[in-house]
């Protein structure tokens, strides 16, 4: 077999400068990425998924009022000593899951909300000349293998640019980047076009981008032009569309359930699903949910 070797995906960009208006007033002074999904903030779910996929460098594109995010991943000696002296070793283990490997967190800022493409462009210097992942912490997955790890495994076969995709209801296409499909084997869809947030009647399909990407550094050539797209914003989708024909551009159908934690309903559903799966509280939560049946 003539298997090509592609450069490994070592770096991931986390755009976290967004305002989180859908959760106001909770997000008035707290970053939306710090909202807890059971016992971990959303950003930690994305961080752990990235680590599982072999990511070594974590690049946060932050903005004003987002300092808590870097604090969260810091080493807290007083807390760890207190837990240790009280014999709370299970809690200590949990705290350690939020520690960033030394020297591996990089921060850059997006000073103005000019769009997702612009946020990624802000990480250009830190990425350099290698392929990288993008993780939108609003999208959370419940799966045996993390979404990014599934993608990296598939990328090692296909190379190029790859996005996590799933079919969405037709009326929802205007919330997503939507694929114009050339070829589809049920797992990998070869893309011949991409449209950001099309109206249902204009959407080329219902197969839509979910917040995980593997991108080639050439994406920065287009992003550096600062061209505005849908909603007057610099769109990552447009930059990827410009790669079609030059590099492989594929959609990857991940295995597992995705939750849109960028809105209240998806966030609450994710909390229910993740807590039902939790070893410590799952059974109690199941009983509580049952107790509400037909009562409210
Ligand atoms: C962004 C992207 C869109 C993608 C979506 C996935 O949109 O622009 O292409 O489908 O994330 O969640 P946003 O949700 O930031 O408006």
């Amino acid at each position: 077999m003539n298997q090509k070797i592609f450069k490994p995906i070592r770096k991931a960009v986390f755009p976290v400068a967004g305002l989180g208006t859908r959760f106001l007033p909770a997000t008035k002074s707290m970053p939306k990425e710090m909202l807890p999904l059971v016992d971990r903030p959303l950003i930690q779910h994305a961080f752990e998924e990235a680590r599982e996929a072999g990511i070594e460098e974590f690049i946060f594109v932050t903005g004003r009022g987002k300092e808590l995010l870097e604090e969260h991943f810091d080493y807290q000696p007083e807390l760890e000593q207190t837990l240790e002296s009280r014999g709370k070793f299970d809690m200590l283990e949990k705290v350690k899951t939020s520690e960033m490997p030394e020297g591996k967190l990089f921060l850059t800022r997006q000073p103005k909300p000019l769009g997702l493409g612009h946020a990624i462009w802000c990480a250009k210097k830190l990425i350099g000349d290698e392929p990288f992942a993008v993780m939108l912490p609003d999208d959370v997955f419940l799966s045996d293998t993390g979404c990014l790890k599934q993608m990296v495994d598939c990328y090692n076969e296909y190379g190029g640019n790859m996005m996590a995709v799933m079919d969405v209801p037709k009326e929802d296409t205007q919330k997503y980047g939507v694929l114009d499909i050339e070829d589809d084997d049920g797992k990998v869809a070869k893309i011949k076009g991409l449209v950001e947030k099309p109206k249902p009647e204009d959407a080329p399909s219902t197969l839509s981008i979910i917040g995980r990407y593997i991108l080639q550094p050439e994406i920065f050539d287009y992003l550096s032009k600062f061209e505005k797209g849908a909603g007057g914003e610099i769109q990552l989708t447009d930059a990827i569309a410009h790669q079609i024909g030059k590099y492989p551009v594929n959609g990857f159908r991940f295995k597992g359930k995705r939750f849109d934690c960028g809105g209240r309903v998806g966030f609450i559903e994710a909390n229910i699903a993740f807590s039902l799966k939790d070893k410590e509280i799952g059974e109690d939560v199941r009983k509580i949910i049952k107790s509400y049946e037909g009562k409210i």
Side-chain angles (χ1 to χ4, degrees):
M1 207 170 93
N2 189 12
Q3 175 92 31
K4 280 195 193 153
I5 308 287
F6 299 106
K7 274 193 190 172
I9 311 299
R10 301 185 316 113
K11 301 181 179 182
V13 180
F14 300 72
V16 291
L19 281 179
T21 47
R22 276 178 272 181
F23 288 97
L24 283 169
T27 48
K28 196 174 150 198
S29 62
M30 181 183 73
K32 65 168 174 169
E33 297 80 7
M34 287 303 293
L35 290 169
L37 185 43
V38 186
D39 52 10
R40 291 159 157 76
L42 290 173
I43 187 68
Q44 191 178 330
H45 285 273
F47 164 73
E48 290 187 35
E49 185 190 324
R51 268 191 111 161
E52 181 200 354
I55 297 297
E56 294 165 12
E57 296 188 8
F58 304 83
I59 301 168
F60 288 5
V61 183
T62 72
R64 288 173 62 206
K66 296 282 184 164
E67 294 75 16
L68 260 184
L69 290 171
E70 44 192 285
E71 289 287 326
H72 178 73
F73 289 99
D74 226 344
Y75 173 51
Q76 279 216 22
E78 300 83 3
L79 175 63
E80 296 205 1
Q81 278 154 21
T82 308
L83 291 173
E84 210 171 335
S85 66
R86 292 186 186 169
K88 300 204 166 187
F89 297 108
D90 48 344
M91 274 300 150
L92 187 61
E93 278 317 302
K94 281 194 180 181
V95 169
K96 284 182 188 293
T97 61
S98 65
E99 271 168 28
M100 187 63 73
E102 280 166 61
K104 299 296 184 190
L105 174 62
F106 300 87
L107 302 168
T108 179
R109 288 180 74 112
Q110 184 190 25
K112 292 179 192 163
L114 298 180
L116 178 60
H118 178 256
I120 303 307
W121 176 85
C122 292
K124 181 174 187 285
K125 255 261 164 332
L126 295 168
I127 294 295
D129 190 28
E130 57 181 287
F132 62 101
V134 172
M135 315 209 48
L136 310 189
D138 278 359
D139 284 317
V140 178
F141 300 85
L142 199 53
S143 53
D144 294 336
T145 304
C147 181
L148 189 64
K149 167 90 172 78
Q150 295 177 39
M151 281 175 79
V152 166
D153 290 345
C154 186
Y155 167 84
N156 288 336
E157 242 177 86
Y158 285 78
N161 300 275
M162 188 169 273
M163 286 91 72
V165 295
M166 65 180 241
D167 278 297
V168 302
K170 183 117 181 116
E171 64 273 18
D172 285 349
T173 56
Q174 46 208 331
K175 298 186 195 157
Y176 298 95
V178 179
L179 278 60
D180 194 354
I181 304 159
E182 182 174 321
D183 214 1
D184 190 352
D185 69 4
K187 181 180 165 195
V188 175
K190 189 173 176 208
I191 298 172
K192 63 175 179 201
L194 277 175
V195 194
E196 179 67 7
K197 303 200 168 80
K199 289 194 192 120
E201 59 272 27
D202 301 329
S205 76
T206 53
L207 200 55
S208 303
I209 304 174
I210 303 304
R212 301 290 182 271
Y213 307 73
I214 292 175
L215 301 172
Q216 298 301 313
E218 286 76 12
I219 200 88
F220 291 114
D221 298 344
Y222 179 84
L223 290 176
S224 301
K225 294 181 189 162
F226 277 32
E227 275 189 33
K228 287 183 183 160
E233 295 188 343
I234 301 165
Q235 296 290 356
L236 184 59
T237 301
D238 296 344
I240 300 167
H242 274 80
Q243 302 285 297
I244 297 170
K246 298 179 200 151
Y247 297 90
V249 182
N250 291 304
F252 171 75
R253 281 195 173 84
F254 54 90
K255 288 207 175 87
K257 168 118 179 90
R258 168 261 186 173
F259 300 90
D260 175 7
C261 291
R264 290 178 299 170
V265 173
F267 177 71
I268 288 165
E269 186 188 351
N271 262 296
I272 294 170
F274 275 71
S275 55
L276 285 172
K277 259 202 97 188
D278 188 288
K279 279 193 222 99
E280 287 165 24
I281 63 169
E283 268 322 299
D284 288 344
V285 174
R286 195 175 306 278
K287 281 184 204 146
I288 290 167
I289 292 171
K290 258 194 144 358
S291 77
Y292 276 89
E293 265 169 30
K295 287 202 185 139
I296 291 181

